[in-house]
Amino acid sequence: MPGDGPRLLRTLIIGAGFSGIGMAIRLCQRGERDFLIYERERGIGGTWWVNQYPGCACDIPSRLYSFSFESNPDWSRRFPRQPEIRDYLRRCAQKHGLDAHLRLGTEVVSMRWLESCARWQVVDGQGGVIQARFVVAGTGALSIPAYPQIPGIERFRGRVFHSQRWDHDAPLTGARVAVIGTGASAVQFIPEIQPAVAHLSVFQRTAHWVIPKSDRAFSGAGKWLYRTFSGWRLLQRAMIYLITEARVFGFAFAPRLLSLHRRLSIAMLRRQVRDDDLRQRLTPRFAIGCKRILLSDDYFSAVARPNVELVTETILKIDEDAVITADGHRHPIDVLVFATGFKASEPFPRGMVRGRDGRDLTDAWANGPEAYKGTTTTGFPNLFLLMGPNTGLGHNSIVYMIESQIAYVLAAIDAAERRGATVIEVRAQAQRAFNERLQRRFQGTVWADNLCSSWYQHRQSGRNVVIWPGSSWSFRRATRRFDADAYDLSTAST
Ligand code: NAP
């Protein structure tokens, strides 16, 4: 009887960021309409919807940081800021009629593989239940914020928030503010808030490599050229891709090639920071590139301002109105901002994804996330991960990686359908061999530097579970065709 049982979908996409929107557009372009996009936020954009801290921007050039099939002729500047990227994604969604497929404010709380009918049963935050043949998770690698466990934090009486959930009502003007963390987000918002606050305590655990960003607004003529000539757009994009991609040689093959970046960073530090002691403390001790290289023209000079104190002592505890460091020093504050990054190696909470035999994905990934070509995981059939394990890049645009994965997912579904199969599952042996090869590739790369630990590594196993240790081009090649021999393609038993 119609209305009985959960709604059955062909494809459920989770997340409306670059991954989810890109996947949905590609489905529409093939004439497929039997899909929904569940997005837990109230708007489109994923990371570019959620992160709204002052100065939030991308550090990949705008003309590359967009879909190859949906170029944006109107980028205003070299490195796009958050509102412009969010609006770009919204326009893409509108243009391709995705509104009818979007369910905003709808969070997937759990999904379970139903063996008998070869479907995923998905429960959302309002208790709604649907079943989907295929699930494409575009949940992002950096969506769950990481908070350090600092004793006494619950006693703090001022405003406290994470950079990912910026509290725009927190009164910063004239306030004493503490920022914990000095990564990619912190170097963007510290120069923005420094002029307004009375005092800024920057708690740095590790000094990061920061190189000049050289951002600029595009000139009127430059914008006109770009908007008017599609050939020029293609050429620009190709040139930016090649120049950016060339950096992979330094990261993945010969780290000494990154010495130019190192020199650029040291020179900027010398120019912007006169105080010897401060300069020393801002100088990184690990190989450049091992952690993400940060881009900023004004971070060092902001930290050198008289109302800023760089604190490198370990944080001991927090009380009602201060951070207390291991040297016994009290740092009085009114507002506390965590810029402490994300749980990149625990992208799905326990209980959210249960595959064959009810196995939780967090158990399958007890040694760190692992997938075949970053996209499929044995024991979790018909589930495709965009920006899955080891698809991150230190040197180029993630959108390129996402597009490679989307093409691979579509090819996988096509291959299954051609054979009349309803279940697509990567073989355990193929996944294991792929990951053994992949982990061996880290030897000799900049990420193998033993002076550096980063969020790319899984805490227990120490394995790098985030980075693709090669060129983005080699990933494209690896995902160019669907390699059915690495998979079991079958039909449901009933
Ligand atoms: P992050 O780069 O992971 O930086 C986190 C910072 O918090 C680091 O300085 C870290 O120190 C510190 N930290 C973490 N736990 C701590 C603790 N318990 N005590 C003291 N300090 C602690 O995080 P993020 O700045 O949010 O950036 C995350 C990623 O988001 C970036 O790497 C990038 O991929 C992405 N992002 C991109 C852009 C862009 O322009 N495209 C902008 C922002 C963010 P340690 O270094 O010692 O661990």
Side-chain angles (χ1 to χ4, degrees):
M1 208 178 107
D4 269 353
R7 175 174 174 185
L8 174 61
L9 276 181
R10 185 174 147 82
T11 311
L12 176 71
I13 298 171
I14 313 176
F18 262 105
S19 299
I21 296 295
M23 184 76 214
I25 292 175
R26 282 309 204 194
L27 287 177
C28 286
Q29 287 175 334
R30 289 156 49 109
E32 288 186 32
R33 290 279 163 187
D34 187 10
F35 69 90
L36 288 177
I37 311 168
Y38 278 12
E39 166 56 59
R40 72 174 165 207
E41 301 298 327
R42 295 261 155 221
I44 295 170
T47 202
W48 299 107
W49 167 268
V50 182
N51 283 277
Q52 301 185 1
Y53 56 78
C56 182
C58 185
D59 54 13
I60 294 292
S62 52
R63 289 173 174 175
L64 184 60
Y65 198 74
S66 39
F67 295 120
S68 60
F69 46 85
E70 207 43 79
S71 77
N72 176 13
D74 296 315
W75 290 118
S76 68
R77 55 190 314 113
R78 185 158 176 237
F79 291 105
R81 297 192 176 151
Q82 174 260 335
E84 198 171 2
I85 308 174
R86 180 202 56 204
D87 292 350
Y88 162 74
L89 283 169
R90 191 160 48 205
R91 278 200 311 278
C92 287
Q94 275 162 355
K95 178 175 164 190
H96 290 272
L98 300 188
D99 283 349
H101 301 268
L102 266 164
R103 298 290 178 269
L104 296 177
T106 306
E107 180 171 17
V108 170
V109 290
S110 67
M111 46 187 271
R112 188 162 59 92
W113 175 249
L114 302 180
E115 201 80 52
S116 56
C117 54
R119 293 176 201 155
W120 284 95
Q121 173 142 304
V122 180
V123 181
D124 67 44
Q126 288 87 44
V129 181
I130 56 152
Q131 292 183 354
R133 283 220 169 283
F134 305 107
V135 173
V136 181
T139 42
L142 303 171
S143 62
I144 306 180
Y147 290 88
Q149 304 295 316
I150 304 176
I153 179 71
E154 68 289 348
R155 298 217 309 276
F156 181 61
R157 284 203 309 255
R159 296 289 263 268
V160 48
F161 54 92
H162 192 280
S163 58
Q164 190 217 36
R165 299 276 164 180
W166 194 267
D167 179 354
H168 290 277
D169 296 327
L172 296 187
T173 305
R176 297 166 303 177
V177 178
V179 174
I180 301 181
T182 53
S185 304
V187 302
Q188 292 188 338
F189 71 75
I190 284 174
E192 299 286 323
I193 64 171
Q194 171 273 322
V197 305
H199 188 267
L200 186 60
S201 305
V202 176
F203 291 87
Q204 171 192 280
R205 186 165 68 179
T206 312
H208 288 240
W209 289 103
V210 186
I211 62 171
K213 187 166 189 180
S214 310
D215 189 19
R216 63 183 168 83
F218 292 127
S219 68
K223 281 201 273 194
W224 178 82
L225 260 177
Y226 193 75
R227 194 179 314 114
T228 312
F229 300 106
S230 60
W232 179 237
R233 284 205 290 279
L234 276 176
L235 188 65
Q236 281 249 321
R237 195 176 158 98
M239 275 172 5
I240 298 168
Y241 173 77
L242 289 174
I243 292 167
T244 315
E245 186 65 6
R247 298 193 304 166
V248 76
F249 291 108
F251 283 87
F253 304 108
R256 66 179 187 287
L257 293 177
L258 293 173
S259 65
L260 171 66
H261 293 76
R262 196 172 166 282
R263 285 202 297 273
L264 280 172
S265 179
I266 297 287
M268 180 166 68
L269 190 54
R270 286 216 185 96
R271 267 197 319 276
Q272 296 190 3
V273 181
R274 299 264 162 232
D275 180 87
D276 281 344
D277 171 60
L278 180 59
R279 216 168 45 227
Q280 277 302 314
R281 291 188 297 135
L282 284 167
T283 305
R285 309 281 165 217
F286 59 90
I288 188 165
C290 177
K291 291 170 182 260
R292 191 176 177 90
I293 299 176
L294 310 182
L295 269 64
S296 171
D297 295 323
D298 48 9
Y299 172 68
F300 288 144
S301 53
V303 174
R305 302 295 298 170
N307 67 337
V308 181
E309 182 188 11
L310 183 77
V311 185
T312 48
E313 277 292 334
T314 308
I315 297 171
L316 195 63
K317 60 178 179 172
I318 293 178
D319 69 13
E320 292 82 7
D321 58 358
V323 177
I324 293 128
T325 42
D327 56 357
H329 199 91
R330 283 187 102 250
H331 304 266
I333 55 164
D334 307 304
V335 178
L336 173 57
V337 186
F338 285 113
T340 42
F342 301 88
K343 294 186 177 177
S345 52
E346 299 159 51
F348 296 97
R350 173 168 291 281
M352 180 173 165
V353 183
R354 289 208 213 95
R356 275 199 199 286
D357 307 319
R359 188 165 195 222
D360 199 288
L361 187 56
T362 55
D363 290 327
W365 284 357
N367 258 340
E370 184 184 287
Y372 182 68
K373 301 191 174 177
T375 313
T376 49
T377 306
T378 187
F380 298 82
N382 294 16
L383 170 64
F384 300 99
L385 311 166
L386 300 181
M387 287 178 75
N390 293 102
T391 57
L393 294 177
H395 70 284
N396 209 334
S397 170
I398 191 67
V399 182
Y400 185 87
M401 300 294 271
I402 292 171
E403 285 192 27
S404 304
Q405 288 192 282
I406 291 173
Y408 186 73
V409 173
L410 294 174
I413 293 174
D414 285 348
E417 290 194 335
R418 270 197 309 274
R419 293 163 194 230
T422 53
V423 181
I424 309 171
E425 183 176 7
V426 66
R427 296 193 169 132
Q429 169 55 24
Q431 182 176 319
R432 199 172 319 118
F434 172 81
N435 279 279
E436 281 167 7
R437 267 197 319 276
L438 183 133
Q439 289 299 326
R440 276 200 300 275
R441 290 241 301 268
F442 279 103
Q443 289 163 17
T445 70
V446 72
W447 300 287
D449 176 40
N450 52 19
L451 289 180
C452 122
S453 70
S454 74
W455 57 264
Y456 298 156
Q457 294 157 307
H458 183 247
R459 210 165 346 130
Q460 278 84 34
S461 67
R463 280 189 312 119
N464 189 318
V465 294
V466 171
I467 290 288
W468 172 253
S471 64
S472 62
W473 173 243
S474 67
F475 185 77
R476 171 101 8 141
R477 250 195 358 253
T479 49
R480 166 167 291 153
R481 59 172 197 89
F482 177 65
D483 38 357
D485 45 340
Y487 286 81
D488 285 322
L489 301 177
S490 57
T491 42
S493 47
T494 56

